[in-house]
């Protein structure tokens, strides 16, 4: 098992989309993307972050063990994928969803069909959120292969 808990600086990030300002106090923001790990021993990153990159939802997946970590909120390991190790070059579906309730954001993480608990957070104002993917930094500068991007903001109130 890998005990190292990654943070944002450990990844080469690629911006893959941006939302308009999320100003509705009951909005839902959803990122769906398929990622393809290049190596079983190199973490991959998926996230939706504010302009400061300090608030949002972001995860790191370690393909060798299936470890899924919270990268944004200091939550550490939030679970393990049951079908680990993940095979290099095989798409892994990632679905990150933020439900806004005023200043509070409740989060949902689904990776490879499995749901994980993720820490809620608070954020003031009208935020523009940016979607990112990336690989753990290493000697090679290869970018993460991804496909099937869908980044949505639903402005109607969500059901509680």
């Amino acid at each position: 098992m890998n005990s190292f808990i990654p943070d944002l600086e450990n990844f080469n990030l690629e911006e893959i989309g941006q939302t308009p300002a999320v100003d509705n106090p009951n909005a839902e923001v959803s990122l769906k993307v398929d990622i393809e790990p290049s190596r079983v021993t190199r973490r991959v990153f998926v996230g939706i972050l504010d302009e400061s990159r300090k608030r949002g939802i972001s995860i790191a997946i370690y393909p060798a063990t299936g470890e899924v970590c919270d990268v944004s909120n200091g939550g550490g390991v939030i679970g393990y994928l049951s079908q680990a190790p993940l095979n290099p070059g095989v798409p892994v579906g990632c679905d990150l969803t933020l439900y806004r309730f005023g200043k509070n954001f409740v989060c949902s993480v689904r990776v490879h069909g499995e749901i994980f608990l993720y820490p809620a957070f608070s954020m003031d104002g009208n935020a523009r959120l940016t979607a990112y993917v990336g690989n753990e930094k290493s000697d090679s500068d290869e970018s993460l292969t991804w496909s099937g991007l869908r980044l949505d903001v639903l402005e109607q109130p969500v059901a509680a």
Side-chain angles (χ1 to χ4, degrees), residues 9 39 151:
E9 288 74 40
R39 285 189 263 159
L151 181 60

Side-chain angles (χ1 to χ4, degrees), residues 22 24-30 32 97-100 105 152-159:
V22 181
N24 185 316
N26 294 313
E28 176 183 320
V29 179
S30 175
K32 294 179 182 179
T97 306
L98 301 167
Y99 303 95
R100 183 173 182 175
F105 289 79
D152 296 314
V153 178
L154 301 174
E155 295 292 336
Q156 67 265 31
V158 295

Side-chain angles (χ1 to χ4, degrees), residues 61-134:
I61 303 164
Y62 190 56
T65 62
E67 176 185 85
V68 180
C69 290
D70 161 31
V71 178
S72 297
N73 300 295
V77 177
I78 59 174
Y80 290 87
L81 294 168
S82 63
Q83 297 179 11
L86 301 176
N87 294 322
V90 175
V92 176
C94 298
D95 184 356
L96 308 180
T97 306
L98 301 167
Y99 303 95
R100 183 173 182 175
F101 298 96
K103 295 185 335 183
N104 299 313
F105 289 79
V106 177
C107 307
S108 170
V109 172
R110 182 185 302 257
V111 177
H112 214 42
E114 298 182 48
I115 299 173
F116 298 92
L117 296 175
Y118 191 88
F121 64 93
S122 181
M123 186 166 49
D124 289 326
N126 302 333
R128 289 179 59 96
L129 300 172
T130 303
Y132 296 93
V133 295

